[in-house]
Amino acid sequence: MSLQRDVRYGLRIGRAEFVRSLRGYLGTTRRLIGLGVVLLFFGGSLLLSLPTAYLLGRTTRSVTAIPFFEAGASAFPLVLGLVAMLRTLERIGSVEAEDLVLTTVHPRAVVLGLMAAEIGRLSLWFGVPIGALAVAFALGAGAPSLVLTGGLVALPLVCCAAVWGYAAGLGTLRFLRCLPAVRRVLKLVGVLAMVGVAAASQFVGTYIVEPDRWMRWLLSAATFDPLVAYVSLAFAGTPLVRPVSVGSVAVLGVALALTPIGLAVATKQASTLWFTDAPTRPTSKRGRTSSGGFTAPRPFAWTEAGRIAWGVLVRARRRPRELSHLLVIVFFIGPVGTTIVQSSGDAIGVLVAATGVGLGTVLAGAAFGLNPLGDDRPQLPLLLLTTTEPRALVRGRVVAGAAVGLPIAVLAPLASVGLGTAVPRALAFAGVGVGTCVAAATFAPGIGAAYPIYEEREFWGTETVVPSTLVMIGYLFVVGGGTGLGLVVTWFAVAGNLVLTLVFLVGFGAYVTLIVGVSYGAYRYAIRRYRRYAFD
């Protein structure tokens, strides 16, 4: 089959896949609401950044005056390649595009189509905000042509990085298919790496604003001058233009030459991965026996809800991907970590105690309560036909969540005594943590049952059901706000700065009543949803 025909078919496949992605984003009211929430949060940051980009364009007189331009230009293709590779590795558990594999088109056309669709999706999510910043910068610099030249300069780098990132991802998948043990380790390493990157990103701002000698050396070492010279061609026709160098022309030639080579490599990798079977190993014929992991220990064995909670905990240990939604918490806890690192010795103990209470409280409800019906959907026909009362099922999730959050909320304040926190203050924070954990664990099943998610999605090779993003954000704001207010009151009380006036007593009584009432109401609502659940 000719290359021209493969390109034509690949563009059709890419357009169809991209349109299908758009329909998936906008297909239901639930997704539209979630997309609106995302735009509300990240769109606000973008709007605040546009005036900064405009002023930067007005004041910049040379390319070198743009902050971190050289390091960013050098890292641009590498980051794109890593993103393409990681997007490919997300399909670690299954063959990509099963329907397209069954068509009569050449695998090269399928690879072209999938990469074109992926470039379109990345351009939608990343290109639109970057393009908006580029437009603001171009208007400030008085050079509207910068948008066009910037797109032309970026196109070869994007295509080359996408092709080779896709090829590297497919090659890694082939390697992991031969080594299942390494694949399982990589899944764990990938999750831990994601947590580490999310946490480390909270500290980058400090070094960007006040770079030290080590940071300057790192930025200088990461700069590749020919690539910087090539990216500087985007400023052609503006006062910021640089003379064309041999290095910039060489980078363009290498990118144009490597793109078809990467396409050939990706096609070969895809054909081998899609149309060959994984190597099999001889297995023992002995039947597997149960290890008795569901035998609940004390104190879980004392009550029916405790035994259900132990089952929930064991299932989470065996399928940790069901807790993947908890990674969102890292982005909310990260800024607190920056504050703890930069705080003085007198305040670090109290901050550790308060952070432990907040983290434990959030985990108490978020671990198992934000999608109870969705998590139990495969077992609901059995669960609802047993003699177990719905209240026991809901209490089981409450106990399981409390078993995760309470140790953190209690032990962190007690451990902060070693950092200088007075024992009475540590005990006060631990007592508040017990109350907030119970309230959060009771509140979460109600909000989760109000908006259940039953559809599974793939997360690093595991099909799992995750709570709605809208529910997760709403839970974090409600629980975070309530816990934060309680911690502030506790701090003023243990510091001796709290004056017991009538207004305070009325306000504090209303606060406690609201927490207890909302949590109990959510708990009763979750029980009612279980009782009234109907199968389609």
Side-chain angles (χ1 to χ4, degrees):
M1 188 173 289
S2 66
L3 177 61
Q4 182 178 2
R5 184 177 299 177
D6 288 345
V7 172
R8 185 169 66 251
Y9 288 161
L11 292 178
R12 292 179 180 177
I13 292 173
R15 182 181 60 183
E17 290 293 311
F18 182 71
V19 171
R20 185 169 66 174
S21 300
L22 289 180
R23 290 175 178 174
Y25 298 149
L26 309 175
T28 61
T29 304
R30 177 186 300 167
R31 292 183 181 272
L32 287 174
I33 294 176
L35 184 61
V37 172
V38 172
L39 293 177
L40 179 64
F41 281 92
F42 294 98
S45 301
L46 177 62
L47 291 177
L48 294 176
S49 302
L50 292 179
T52 304
Y54 179 80
L55 293 176
L56 182 63
R58 289 185 62 89
T59 56
T60 300
R61 294 296 176 263
S62 66
V63 173
T64 56
I66 301 176
F68 306 103
F69 173 77
E70 296 179 348
S74 303
F76 176 67
L78 179 61
V79 172
L80 286 180
L82 288 177
V83 169
M85 181 178 176
L86 293 176
R87 290 278 297 176
T88 306
L89 287 178
E90 287 182 358
R91 309 170 183 99
I92 194 172
S94 62
V95 175
E96 179 190 14
E98 295 90 344
D99 297 337
L100 296 176
V101 172
L102 300 177
T103 60
T104 58
V105 298
H106 195 274
R108 181 170 54 191
V110 178
V111 170
L112 276 171
L114 294 177
M115 286 192 298
E118 187 64 25
I119 291 174
R121 286 188 286 265
L122 293 177
S123 300
L124 180 64
W125 289 106
F126 298 101
V128 171
I130 293 176
L133 294 175
V135 169
F137 181 88
L139 293 177
S145 62
L146 177 60
V147 180
L148 177 60
T149 56
L152 293 177
V153 168
L155 184 60
L157 293 180
V158 171
C159 293
C160 183
V163 169
W164 279 101
Y166 188 74
L170 291 176
T172 306
L173 290 179
R174 286 186 57 195
F175 173 75
L176 295 176
R177 189 170 67 172
C178 300
L179 300 174
V182 178
R183 181 175 64 181
R184 289 190 291 268
V185 172
L186 182 63
K187 292 179 182 180
L188 178 60
V189 171
V191 174
L192 295 178
M194 186 183 301
V195 174
V197 171
S201 65
Q202 308 297 331
F203 299 89
V204 173
T206 303
Y207 295 103
I208 290 179
V209 176
E210 300 178 358
D212 54 10
R213 180 180 304 177
W214 178 83
M215 191 65 180
R216 294 190 184 95
W217 175 86
L218 182 62
L219 293 176
S220 176
T223 301
F224 184 57
D225 293 332
L227 188 56
V228 174
Y230 171 75
V231 176
S232 300
L233 296 178
F235 298 96
T238 70
L240 306 178
V241 64
R242 278 183 174 184
V244 179
S245 63
V246 178
S248 61
V249 177
V251 169
L252 176 60
V254 170
L256 294 177
L258 287 180
T259 299
I261 298 175
L263 177 60
V265 174
T267 302
K268 179 63 177 178
Q269 299 282 4
S271 300
T272 306
L273 181 67
W274 294 343
F275 298 108
T276 58
D277 296 326
T280 58
R281 296 183 179 181
T283 57
S284 174
K285 296 183 178 179
R286 296 178 57 185
R288 297 179 60 183
T289 58
S290 174
S291 60
F294 275 93
T295 302
R298 290 180 292 183
F300 291 97
W302 292 344
T303 62
E304 185 178 26
R307 293 189 290 271
I308 294 174
W310 180 252
V312 172
L313 293 172
V314 171
R315 188 174 69 180
R317 181 183 64 83
R318 294 179 177 177
R319 298 190 61 189
R321 298 301 181 273
E322 293 185 355
L323 303 177
S324 60
H325 61 281
L326 297 181
L327 295 176
V328 179
I329 299 176
V330 178
F331 293 94
F332 291 86
I333 301 298
V336 181
T338 308
T339 305
I340 292 177
V341 172
Q342 297 176 348
S343 60
S344 61
D346 298 334
I348 188 172
V350 175
L351 287 175
V352 168
T355 302
V357 173
L359 179 60
T361 301
V362 172
L363 289 177
F368 306 110
L370 293 182
N371 193 27
L373 293 174
D375 292 341
D376 288 338
R377 178 64 182 267
Q379 298 84 28
L380 279 179
L382 175 64
L383 292 176
L384 299 181
L385 293 177
T386 61
T387 57
T388 303
E389 291 290 333
R391 66 166 61 93
L393 300 176
V394 177
R395 287 177 183 172
R397 291 195 167 270
V398 172
V399 174
V404 173
L406 273 176
I408 300 175
V410 173
L411 294 180
L414 297 181
S416 67
V417 174
L419 299 175
T421 305
V423 175
R425 295 182 180 181
L427 294 176
F429 277 106
V432 172
V434 173
T436 54
C437 281
V438 173
T442 309
F443 167 73
I447 187 175
Y451 201 63
I453 298 294
Y454 302 112
E455 298 83 6
E456 292 184 342
R457 71 175 181 89
E458 187 175 354
F459 181 83
W460 279 80
T462 300
E463 294 289 337
T464 183
V465 179
V466 296
S468 168
T469 304
L470 188 64
V471 170
M472 188 71 180
I473 293 177
Y475 169 82
L476 289 175
F477 271 93
V478 172
V479 174
T483 305
L485 183 58
L487 291 174
V488 170
V489 174
T490 303
W491 165 248
F492 276 98
V494 297
N497 299 326
L498 188 64
V499 180
L500 297 179
T501 63
L502 179 61
V503 175
F504 168 78
L505 293 176
V506 172
F508 183 74
Y511 165 76
V512 174
T513 303
L514 183 63
I515 288 181
V516 174
V518 171
S519 300
Y520 181 73
Y523 165 74
R524 296 297 304 176
Y525 176 76
I527 296 175
R528 186 174 64 178
R529 286 299 304 268
Y530 267 88
R531 286 176 176 170
R532 297 184 179 182
Y533 184 85
F535 295 97
D536 296 332

